[in-house]
Amino acid sequence: MRHRLPGNQLGRPYDQRKALLRSLATELLRHDEIITTVAKARAVRPAVEKIITSGKQGYVADYPAVVKKMRGGDAEARKQVARTVHLRRQVNSFLYDRDVVNKVFNEIAPRYKDRKGGYTRILKAGFRRGDATPMAIIQLV
């Protein structure tokens, strides 16, 4: 039984919930802002924060130069390239679009390099007209 376990189930089985969170995270990172329900926004926020943190950890300012040093035999450069590749593969396994993965590592990670967390903001956006569900705008800060 799942009494008092953390996390929002969103009224879906695990596979559907995971697919929903993956698609919301992909679209949020693609467009920098999406409109969804408050519950979905609160559920996708931790996933997006972890992806951006992975992007920051795997960001290398001058990647071609590091690869060149690695091919020259530099052990530290080899570790750095291996870590970057590993983190890119992990993020790619969660997101649906490889272009979004590149955007996370090349555009979003440098934008937040000096920020320690709190990359997203949730703003209330009123109620949906059809069923009066509370809506929210979730955006990258």
Side-chain angles (χ1 to χ4, degrees):
M1 300 184 111
R2 110 163 263 293
H3 294 296
R4 297 173 61 92
L5 289 178
N8 191 341
Q9 295 219 328
L10 300 174
R12 289 171 168 79
Y14 172 74
D15 58 341
Q16 294 175 18
R17 184 170 57 251
K18 183 178 176 186
L20 173 72
L21 294 178
R22 288 176 68 185
S23 66
L24 284 172
T26 302
E27 294 306 313
L28 176 60
L29 292 168
R30 177 180 290 136
H31 299 293
D32 290 346
E33 173 179 296
I34 57 172
I35 300 173
T36 184
T37 65
V38 172
K40 289 176 188 173
R42 286 181 180 158
V44 77
R45 176 184 242 173
V48 171
E49 301 266 342
K50 288 174 188 169
I51 288 170
I52 293 174
T53 301
S54 295
K56 284 173 51 177
Q57 291 171 351
Y59 174 68
V60 177
D62 193 11
Y63 188 73
V66 174
V67 170
K68 189 174 182 181
K69 284 199 309 190
M70 178 194 72
R71 291 187 177 143
D74 187 6
E76 188 62 34
R78 185 175 346 110
K79 285 182 183 178
Q80 198 171 11
V81 168
R83 179 154 177 79
T84 300
V85 170
H86 174 68
L87 289 168
R88 278 183 179 263
R89 286 179 178 169
Q90 282 187 324
V91 170
N92 195 30
S93 71
F94 187 79
L95 297 178
Y96 281 129
D97 191 358
R98 187 165 289 173
D99 294 334
V100 176
V101 174
N102 289 331
K103 182 179 178 181
V104 167
F105 282 86
N106 299 333
E107 295 174 26
I108 295 174
R111 190 187 325 168
Y112 296 118
K113 67 181 178 186
D114 296 329
R115 192 175 182 102
K116 296 201 182 297
Y119 312 116
T120 58
R121 168 189 306 140
I122 297 176
L123 304 170
K124 301 286 176 83
F127 296 92
R128 188 160 52 197
R129 190 177 162 145
D131 58 357
T133 301
M135 300 297 286
I137 299 169
I138 181 167
Q139 54 189 209
L140 298 179
V141 176

